[in-house]
Amino acid sequence: MSPQLPPWYRAVHQNSLTFNSVWITDDILLGAMRHFHRALRVSRRKASSVPGPMECRRRTGKRKMTHISAATPTSMQDFCALWSFGGVVDRTQWQWEAPTISPLVDYGSPPRLQPWLREDEPLAGLARERLEATTIVETCASRSGAESGYLLRQDLEDFRAKLRRGPIEALQVICDTFNRDIKQRITLGLVQEDILSLCLSNVTEDIRKAFRDVDLVTSLSLDFYRAVWEGMKACRIMAPSDMGSLLLNRLLLSLSKLPQIQAVQVVASEILKMSSACQLLEMEQGITAIVKTWVCGWTSEDLCPAKSKKTTIIYSYLEDRALMCSSRALRTYLGHLPPDLATMIIRSSAAQIMDCCLAESRGSTRATRGMRYWWIRAVAGVHCMTEDLLIEISSTMDISSRTGTIPDLPPLTLFECCQALLDFWASHGQLSRRNRIKREFEHKARNQEKPLNAGLSLLVILDRYKQLCWTKAQSLFTLLRRIGRPHMVYGILQTLVESRVKMPASLIAREINLHNPQTALRIYRLYRKVRHCNTPLLLDGCPELIIKMINDCDLHPSAIWGTLGVPIYHPGRIQASDRSLPRARVALIHRMALAFATSEARSNRVAFRNVMQCIMYLRRHRVPLSVDLTRALCYVGITREMVRNQWVGTEKLVWILDLIQRVEGEEVSGEIDRALYQCRQRFVAGRHRAPTGVQSFRIRPN
């Protein structure tokens, strides 16, 4: 029985032309190895004659040596005479000769190995373009970088001479020919980066000098930049992500000098899309220039049509399709950037846009409003945008527009703020039916007669689609408050009362603590009509409002105590109450005592009277005095009087020290007594040393 042939032998035999082949071709061997590599993936426990990794490496090395030895030329020595093939040689007679240096033989460049012999393992799926690029590089290896740059400089000088001397009819053909030539050279990698940067600046200037038509100059310059970029993309030597960032930054700066039409924006977006993160960090200047020119181009009359005749809050710049498409393209452009770089560019671009465009009064008020509106909507949908950053950008755009340079430019409307928030929520996945919600909101906002009804429409739609209406309302109120529209928050709550939309106590309490005392008090009185599930809102949970009311000199203390539901007590007419106070109310009274004692908006007499009111209120409800109350009483009754160089009555001083002794102990009371005694002695001595002729104050013990 004949021995069974190994499987790899049968596969090679089937693909070979003759059985007695001396050399197995590379394609046959590579196909057999691929076949059995795939076969090895099937798990089986049978023995196999396929060589292992060590044997494969040994055989690969052997084939390398065989391939190199076959390509090496034979020696010029006479081997026939060495082995006596040419005749009889007398081996007994020898003649000594001095050693000589063997002549150097130029064997040429070493033979290039096959791709599958260069690595330890076979390379599968080798790209044909890389092989062609390698062949081109080896063909052009004899050319140096200086020679390539010299050829490009010569072509550049010829092109500039043709533009200056050639006929006007043939100038466009000359530009097209130059564009094709430079694109081909960049594709083959025959242009250095520094020479290409010089070419970007020189060619643009030559085109501007040769033509007077602005549109034609823009078209020819764009064709040149597009040819350069397409050559970079098709380069067979290195990808755009491997090129220098200075060159790409120079290309972006050149594009920023053109009108930002759609073709320019496409090229700029492709550059950012195909650049690496390290390159983008070094291209900040060019990216910022593109963004600034992009947004400032929205003020042109080509993009902003005439104002509509409809008397609604929706103006023509809100409905313009060209501005909408350009804003979405800008959002995509900024989306290619890393988050940190995008945040930095958005901040710097917002400041530059407002300082340069609005301060110089570029365009009409309508065009400037459209630019501001679509810029805020564009950055609201960027992935790196946060709620705080959106509020910061909106506040920057709004405050800069009211600096006095453009007095007719109105502030941001409630509809514009709602649209920006909708874009922000939609881009961050906080809306499940974003397109439907947006369409319905725009439709309802168009039919509203009052501007404040836009906020009501937004909250009603969000509540209908169950999109966390209360959380979204908090974001809306925060945006309005931080851009200087607190009255809009109160107006939206008033519209909620009319539409019977309810709000939780936590949301109202937060707004009460963050607004000014007058607006906060109005919101608190309005809460009874919009509270959810009849949940009461006590001022115990709004201590910041009470503190603000205390520090507001326009509010009388009786109004503050009336808001808390506490009457003004008389020291001799206090009756104990069996009703205990909650902990929140006790903590609030302690904070009120300290606030009255340290408030600069209240006089010493008024502050002392209200601290006493706090003590009497706690005594009525049988709450023991704490250290905070004695500190407040000592500060307002003693410290403030002495700081103002006024006498402290002995009876009041003894009463305050008695309270301090009962609450904080005799040691603290004794230290305060000794310190006060020394201060009183110095006060009396200073009065006795008063100069004659000046009437001094009379010192009375009481």
Side-chain angles (χ1 to χ4, degrees):
M1 181 176 181
S2 60
Q4 185 178 2
L5 296 176
W8 63 268
Y9 183 86
R10 292 196 303 272
V12 173
H13 173 64
Q14 292 175 2
N15 294 319
S16 60
L17 298 177
T18 60
F19 182 78
N20 297 324
S21 300
V22 178
W23 179 253
I24 300 173
T25 61
D26 301 339
D27 297 333
I28 295 176
L29 186 59
L30 183 58
M33 294 299 294
R34 288 180 179 177
H35 173 73
F36 289 104
H37 275 218
R38 290 193 299 267
L40 285 176
R41 297 178 183 177
V42 183
S43 60
R44 54 182 179 179
R45 301 184 59 84
K46 298 180 181 180
S48 174
S49 59
V50 177
M54 297 297 293
E55 180 66 17
C56 182
R57 291 184 178 183
R58 188 186 69 81
R59 294 181 183 181
T60 302
K62 187 176 181 180
R63 284 194 295 271
K64 284 183 179 181
M65 296 178 65
T66 304
H67 186 76
I68 294 175
S69 61
T72 305
T74 58
S75 176
M76 300 301 295
Q77 298 178 2
D78 188 5
F79 290 97
C80 297
L82 180 62
W83 298 104
S84 301
F85 292 150
V88 180
V89 179
D90 188 4
R91 300 184 179 181
T92 60
Q93 298 180 2
W94 300 89
Q95 183 179 358
W96 181 85
E97 293 182 359
T100 58
I101 301 175
S102 59
L104 298 177
V105 181
D106 187 11
Y107 297 106
S109 60
R112 186 168 58 88
L113 300 180
Q114 298 296 330
W116 56 275
L117 289 176
R118 295 179 184 176
E119 302 294 340
D120 295 337
E121 298 180 358
L123 297 177
L126 191 61
R128 183 178 301 176
E129 295 182 358
R130 294 301 178 186
L131 290 175
E132 295 177 356
T134 307
T135 306
I136 294 173
V137 172
E138 293 177 355
T139 305
C140 302
S142 59
R143 295 186 179 181
S144 62
E147 183 182 357
S148 174
Y150 174 74
L151 292 176
L152 184 58
R153 287 193 183 96
Q154 184 178 0
D155 295 340
L156 180 59
E157 294 298 332
D158 296 342
F159 172 70
R160 299 179 66 181
K162 291 178 182 179
L163 284 181
R164 290 192 297 266
R165 303 172 185 175
I168 300 178
E169 297 79 6
L171 293 182
Q172 190 169 358
V173 179
I174 295 173
C175 293
D176 296 340
T177 305
F178 180 77
N179 292 341
R180 289 194 301 268
D181 181 61
I182 194 172
K183 178 181 177 182
Q184 183 180 5
R185 288 182 179 273
I186 296 174
T187 303
L188 297 177
L190 301 177
V191 183
Q192 297 178 357
E193 292 185 4
D194 54 346
I195 301 175
L196 187 56
S197 300
L198 182 63
C199 184
L200 286 174
S201 59
N202 292 339
V203 171
T204 305
E205 293 297 330
D206 293 337
I207 292 176
R208 290 178 180 175
K209 294 178 181 178
F211 301 95
R212 296 182 179 179
D213 189 1
V214 179
D215 297 336
L216 184 58
V217 171
T218 302
S219 177
L220 294 177
S221 301
L222 178 59
D223 292 340
F224 170 67
Y225 298 146
R226 190 183 298 169
V228 172
W229 172 242
E230 290 178 357
M232 291 181 181
K233 289 194 302 181
C235 183
R236 301 177 181 178
I237 305 302
M238 61 176 60
S241 57
D242 301 328
M243 298 181 181
S245 57
L246 296 178
L247 177 60
L248 298 177
N249 186 45
R250 185 60 179 270
L251 183 56
L252 286 178
L253 290 174
S254 301
L255 289 172
S256 65
K257 298 178 182 178
L258 300 178
Q260 293 301 307
I261 58 179
Q262 186 176 2
V264 178
Q265 298 169 3
V266 170
V267 176
S269 300
E270 289 181 357
I271 293 175
L272 295 192
K273 187 176 181 181
M274 301 186 67
S275 301
S276 62
C278 298
Q279 288 177 328
L280 292 174
L281 293 176
E282 298 178 359
M283 295 160 54
E284 180 184 355
Q285 183 181 4
I287 298 172
T288 306
I290 287 288
V291 173
K292 177 183 175 182
T293 311
W294 195 327
V295 178
C296 292
W298 293 345
T299 58
S300 62
E301 295 297 331
D302 297 336
L303 291 177
C304 295
K307 183 177 178 180
S308 176
K309 297 181 180 180
K310 298 181 180 180
T311 57
T312 60
I313 63 172
I314 308 295
Y315 296 101
S316 59
Y317 66 86
L318 304 178
E319 299 176 328
D320 186 60
R321 289 290 179 182
L323 289 175
M324 183 186 302
C325 296
S326 183
S327 176
R328 292 177 180 176
L330 179 59
R331 182 184 306 173
T332 306
Y333 177 82
L334 295 174
H336 297 312
L337 303 177
D340 297 338
L341 180 61
T343 303
M344 187 185 310
I345 289 178
I346 287 173
R347 281 198 177 101
S348 60
S349 299
Q352 291 181 8
I353 289 168
M354 299 306 296
D355 294 341
C356 298
C357 296
L358 295 182
E360 296 176 2
S361 301
R362 289 189 54 183
S364 60
T365 303
R366 171 181 46 80
T368 307
R369 291 189 64 184
M371 179 200 66
R372 180 183 63 183
Y373 169 72
W374 288 108
W375 161 251
I376 294 177
R377 289 198 61 179
V379 300
V382 182
H383 61 88
C384 68
M385 181 62 60
T386 60
E387 188 172 342
D388 293 336
L389 181 58
L390 177 61
I391 295 174
E392 178 185 348
I393 297 300
S394 302
S395 179
T396 301
M397 304 293 287
D398 191 61
I399 292 177
S400 300
S401 64
R402 291 185 281 114
T403 55
T405 55
I406 304 180
D408 297 333
L409 184 64
L412 288 172
T413 62
L414 181 58
F415 175 81
E416 295 172 352
C417 296
C418 293
Q419 282 283 21
L421 286 175
L422 278 176
D423 291 337
F424 172 76
W425 295 331
S427 63
H428 288 71
Q430 300 181 14
L431 296 178
S432 58
R433 300 179 181 180
R434 53 184 182 181
N435 294 330
R436 189 170 183 177
I437 291 175
K438 285 183 178 181
R439 289 194 301 267
E440 189 171 349
F441 171 71
E442 291 179 0
H443 176 70
K444 282 195 172 183
R446 295 172 189 270
N447 301 325
Q448 296 292 342
E449 297 180 356
K450 298 180 180 180
L452 291 177
N453 289 339
L456 173 63
S457 302
L458 177 63
L459 297 180
V460 169
I461 293 172
L462 292 175
D463 188 29
R464 182 188 308 166
Y465 288 98
K466 300 179 180 180
Q467 300 295 321
L468 300 178
C469 174
W470 293 346
T471 305
K472 303 294 191 299
Q474 181 176 339
S475 301
L476 177 60
F477 294 160
T478 303
L479 174 61
L480 295 176
R481 184 181 64 256
R482 291 181 59 178
I483 65 174
R485 308 286 190 281
H487 62 279
M488 287 188 177
V489 177
Y490 179 74
I492 292 174
L493 292 176
Q494 276 188 327
T495 56
L496 293 179
V497 172
E498 299 173 358
S499 301
R500 298 180 180 180
V501 178
K502 306 302 181 180
M503 286 290 161
S506 59
L507 176 61
I508 303 299
R510 181 178 181 274
E511 295 302 321
I512 288 175
N513 290 329
L514 295 175
H515 281 79
N516 56 65
Q518 291 80 7
T519 306
L521 192 58
R522 294 167 61 190
I523 293 175
Y524 173 74
R525 294 170 181 172
L526 194 64
Y527 170 71
R528 298 179 181 179
K529 302 178 182 179
V530 296
R531 59 184 181 182
H532 178 68
C533 296
N534 294 327
T535 303
L537 177 62
L538 302 177
L539 288 180
D540 302 346
C542 307
E544 300 297 333
L545 172 61
I546 301 300
I547 302 303
K548 290 179 181 179
M549 295 172 67
I550 292 174
N551 294 324
D552 189 1
C553 59
D554 296 333
L555 291 176
H556 196 269
S558 60
I560 301 175
W561 292 105
T563 305
L564 293 173
V566 178
I568 302 298
Y569 296 108
H570 192 273
R573 303 175 184 176
I574 301 178
Q575 296 180 359
S577 175
D578 297 334
R579 180 184 175 184
S580 61
L581 295 177
R583 294 182 179 179
R585 177 57 66 90
V586 174
L588 176 62
I589 296 301
H590 284 84
R591 291 191 60 179
M592 289 179 62
L594 291 173
F596 273 117
T598 58
S599 177
E600 297 293 337
R602 308 294 175 179
S603 62
N604 290 357
R605 179 176 174 276
V606 174
F608 184 80
R609 178 69 183 85
N610 283 275
V611 172
M612 288 295 301
Q613 170 76 8
C614 296
I615 294 175
M616 289 185 290
Y617 178 70
L618 294 178
R619 276 186 174 181
R620 183 176 184 274
H621 293 276
R622 300 177 182 179
V623 177
L625 299 180
S626 64
V627 179
D628 293 335
L629 288 176
T630 55
R631 288 178 179 177
L633 191 61
C634 180
Y635 184 83
V636 71
I638 300 175
T639 306
R640 288 181 64 166
E641 298 288 348
M642 298 183 65
V643 167
R644 297 184 180 183
N645 200 18
Q646 295 181 1
W647 179 260
V648 182
T650 304
E651 183 179 355
K652 183 172 66 173
L653 182 61
V654 171
W655 181 76
I656 294 175
L657 291 177
D658 183 46
L659 285 179
I660 294 175
Q661 181 180 359
R662 283 187 292 175
V663 176
E664 302 186 40
E666 294 182 359
E667 183 178 358
V668 178
S669 176
E671 292 180 0
I672 296 175
D673 189 9
R674 288 189 293 271
L676 288 175
Y677 178 77
Q678 296 177 2
C679 293
R680 288 162 65 93
Q681 290 295 329
R682 288 195 298 269
F683 182 83
V684 172
R687 290 300 182 182
H688 283 300
R689 288 195 300 268
T692 59
V694 179
Q695 185 179 2
S696 60
F697 291 100
R698 184 178 180 182
I699 308 301
R700 297 173 55 186
N702 294 324

